[in-house]
């Protein structure tokens, strides 16, 4: 997982421009491509520069807006002309607004769900950036009136079942264009998805120019090389990292 070099197909790699540091470039991996996969391949959000018409309802919910993937989702949605409604803790309100969020709600508030449904009754797209059972239920309830779609990053599909709501579980591994399986031979297996690979090629081809409009999340560089990895992972496990991305500098 922490190899110094990786062998990858050339069209699934991108060259960061000089304005982007190596540490910042690292954040455009899983987080950015997950947001891209959700919006462009599943929620029918128009690609940058496309002539696709905007839908009548052009508001999207991004749950847990301060996560890295959600910050990218907010920006990509805004780039396509969408209004973005998001949730997070109050201490991250200014952060998500700085990345383009139009309306922010405290997900701790017992009235958050009803407040969003009242203020934005016709949302039909949602990106669940944390994908716990309760967050998926929340997103499904928001889009239920419009019979919309909810993207989840963990398999919380059953938790979010609502009449007319489509819960779509995505894994960024499908963007590599190869079949794969977990815990062979007893775990689930996944077929190759050529259209996902095409989307990643398209995204990485445009990314050197796109980074001028789509900022990386705030980063905290952790010095110390390999010896710092376990400590940094432990901070994540204890939920002591919020609104930023930890980058362990292995140099």
């Amino acid at each position: 997982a922490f190899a110094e070099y990786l062998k990858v197909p050339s069209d699934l790699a991108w060259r960061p421009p000089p304005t982007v540091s190596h540490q910042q470039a690292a954040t455009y991996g899983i987080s950015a491509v997950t947001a891209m996969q959700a919006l462009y391949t599943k929620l029918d959000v128009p690609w940058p520069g496309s002539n696709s018409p905007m839908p009548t309802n052009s508001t999207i919910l991004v749950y847990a807006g301060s996560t890295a993937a959600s910050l990218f989702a907010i920006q990509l949605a805004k780039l396509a002309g969408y209004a973005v409604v998001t949730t997070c803790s109050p201490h991250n309100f200014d952060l998500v607004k700085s990345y383009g969020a139009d309306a922010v709600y405290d997900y701790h508030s017992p009235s958050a769900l009803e407040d969003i449904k009242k203020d934005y009754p016709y949302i039909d797209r949602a990106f669940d950036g944390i994908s716990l059972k309760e967050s998926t239920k929340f997103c499904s309830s928001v889009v239920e009136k419009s019979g919309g779609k909810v993207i989840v990053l963990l398999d919380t599909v059953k938790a979010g079942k609502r009449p007319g709501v489509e819960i779509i579980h995505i894994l960024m591994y499908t963007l590599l264009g190869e079949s794969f399986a977990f815990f062979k031979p007893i775990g689930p297996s996944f077929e190759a998805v050529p259209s996902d690979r095409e989307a990643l090629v398209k995204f990485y081809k445009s990314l050197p120019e796109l980074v001028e409009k789509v900022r990386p999340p705030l980063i905290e560089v952790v010095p110390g090389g390999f010896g710092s990895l376990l400590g940094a992972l432990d901070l994540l496990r204890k939920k002591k990292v919020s609104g930023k991305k930890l980058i362990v500098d292995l140099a």
Side-chain angles (χ1 to χ4, degrees):
F2 302 107
E4 185 175 2
Y5 297 100
L6 292 175
K7 181 180 178 181
V8 298
S10 60
D11 59 353
L12 295 184
W14 71 290
R15 184 187 296 275
T19 55
V20 177
S21 70
H22 287 171
Q23 291 89 346
Q24 290 173 324
T27 68
Y28 289 91
I30 293 175
S31 300
V33 301
T34 296
M36 176 278 296
Q37 181 184 21
L39 270 62
Y40 297 152
T41 73
K42 306 301 180 185
L43 294 181
D44 303 318
V45 171
W47 285 82
S50 71
N51 295 320
S52 301
M54 286 291 293
T56 303
N57 180 16
S58 55
T59 302
I60 185 171
L61 170 66
V62 176
Y63 191 95
S66 62
T67 69
S70 291
L71 290 175
F72 280 116
I74 290 171
Q75 294 181 91
L76 293 178
K78 291 295 294 182
L79 195 60
Y82 280 72
V84 177
V85 176
T86 191
T87 66
C88 64
S89 295
H91 70 270
N92 281 322
F93 277 14
D94 289 341
L95 172 70
V96 297
K97 288 178 180 178
S98 73
Y99 279 80
D102 296 283
V104 189
Y105 296 80
D106 178 5
Y107 69 88
H108 296 292
S109 170
S111 66
L113 176 58
E114 294 306 318
D115 290 343
I116 293 175
K117 293 169 70 172
K118 177 183 176 182
D119 296 340
Y120 298 91
Y122 301 108
I123 294 178
D124 63 358
R125 292 168 172 81
F127 175 80
D128 185 351
I130 191 169
S131 299
L132 301 176
K133 289 182 178 180
E134 290 305 315
S135 63
T136 301
K137 289 179 181 178
F138 188 108
C139 293
S140 297
S141 183
V142 170
V143 305
E144 184 175 7
K145 183 175 181 178
S146 298
K149 298 178 180 179
V150 177
I151 302 299
V152 295
L153 310 181
L154 299 173
D155 193 3
T156 51
V157 177
K158 293 181 180 179
K161 285 294 185 184
R162 292 287 191 283
V165 176
E166 183 180 3
I167 312 293
I168 305 172
H169 176 216
I170 63 171
L171 288 169
M172 61 81 54
Y173 305 112
T174 61
L175 294 167
L176 302 178
E178 298 182 9
S179 60
F180 61 94
F182 293 127
F183 306 110
K184 289 184 177 181
I186 61 173
S189 59
F190 301 83
E191 298 297 325
V193 184
S195 60
D196 273 15
R197 190 186 191 283
E198 292 171 6
L200 182 57
V201 171
K202 183 176 181 179
F203 182 65
Y204 272 169
K205 187 176 181 179
S206 65
L207 194 51
E209 295 181 1
L210 199 60
V211 293
E212 297 180 5
K213 301 176 181 178
V214 179
R215 294 186 289 133
L218 301 177
I219 62 173
E220 179 181 336
V221 178
V222 180
F226 281 102
S228 300
L229 283 171
L230 293 181
L233 290 172
D234 197 44
L235 290 176
L236 295 176
R237 293 189 187 100
K238 294 178 179 178
K239 298 182 179 181
K240 293 185 176 181
V241 181
S242 177
K244 59 186 176 182
K245 193 82 168 175
L246 289 184
I247 302 294
V248 177
D249 194 338
L250 301 182

